Amino acid sequence: GWRGLLFGISGFAGGAAAIGASLLAGWFLEVYLFPYSFAFCFLSAFILTSISYSFLCLIKEPSYPSMKQHVSIAKYLRQIPDVLKRDRNFSLFLIGTIFVSFEGMAVASFAVYAIEKMNLTGEQIGLLTALMTGTQALSNPLWGRLGDRKGQKLIVELATICSLVATF
């Protein structure tokens, strides 16, 4: 299949846009004083996210016949422990996902540390962000194609290992 490559290319396109946004944020931080620089960054993020959401709203999903009964939220929540006991793979997936999400916090901490210790300018902060985003964007199609050939689970495992090594 080509699903992984498709997601890789879309990740590349999104990353390329994020590079431009990072450089623009660096320019805002360099040219405008606080709090205006942050206000322009957040306003830009709001506008771009709104545009993205607008496109998502235009998507028409095909209707699927529903065979399942609707259950109350309380009953649904009471069923979760049984599902986790029955489906070991799903339980392991959830635990792994929770711990991998902490890696994102580490990356943000690295950026803050670098900014404080290196006295970076706004322009340099934007460039650092663009470089971090750019390397991820460039690797997305490669990871996607490798996932198509060897399996997506391997990609998640390799990405987690890369994150661990980078954090270490």
Side-chain angles (χ1 to χ4, degrees), residues 13-31 37 40-42 44-45 48 107 111 115 121-137:
I19 291 169
S22 299
L23 296 173
L24 180 63
W27 183 78
F28 284 150
L29 293 172
E30 188 67 27
V31 172
S37 56
F40 287 135
C41 286
F42 286 112
S44 299
L48 293 172
V107 170
I115 291 165
T121 66
E123 205 168 45
Q124 290 170 324
I125 294 167
L127 182 60
L128 174 66
T129 306
L131 288 172
M132 290 169 46
T133 304
T135 55
Q136 184 179 14

Side-chain angles (χ1 to χ4, degrees), residues 51-125:
I51 291 169
S52 173
Y53 183 72
S54 298
F55 280 102
L56 288 174
C57 288
L58 295 174
I59 296 172
K60 303 260 190 236
E61 286 192 84
S63 60
Y64 295 101
S66 179
M67 304 292 282
K68 296 183 179 184
Q69 295 178 350
H70 294 281
V71 295
S72 70
I73 188 71
K75 184 176 180 183
Y76 177 80
L77 292 173
R78 284 192 305 268
Q79 294 173 347
I80 291 175
D82 291 334
V83 171
L84 295 176
K85 286 177 192 172
R86 275 194 320 264
D87 193 339
R88 185 171 189 273
N89 277 335
F90 182 61
S91 298
L92 292 173
F93 168 77
L94 288 178
I95 292 167
T97 302
I98 289 167
F99 283 102
V100 166
S101 68
F102 289 119
E103 188 272 336
M105 293 180 355
V107 170
S109 298
F110 297 153
V112 170
Y113 179 81
I115 291 165
E116 286 183 4
K117 294 298 178 186
M118 301 171 123
N119 296 322
L120 299 178
T121 66
E123 205 168 45
Q124 290 170 324
I125 294 167

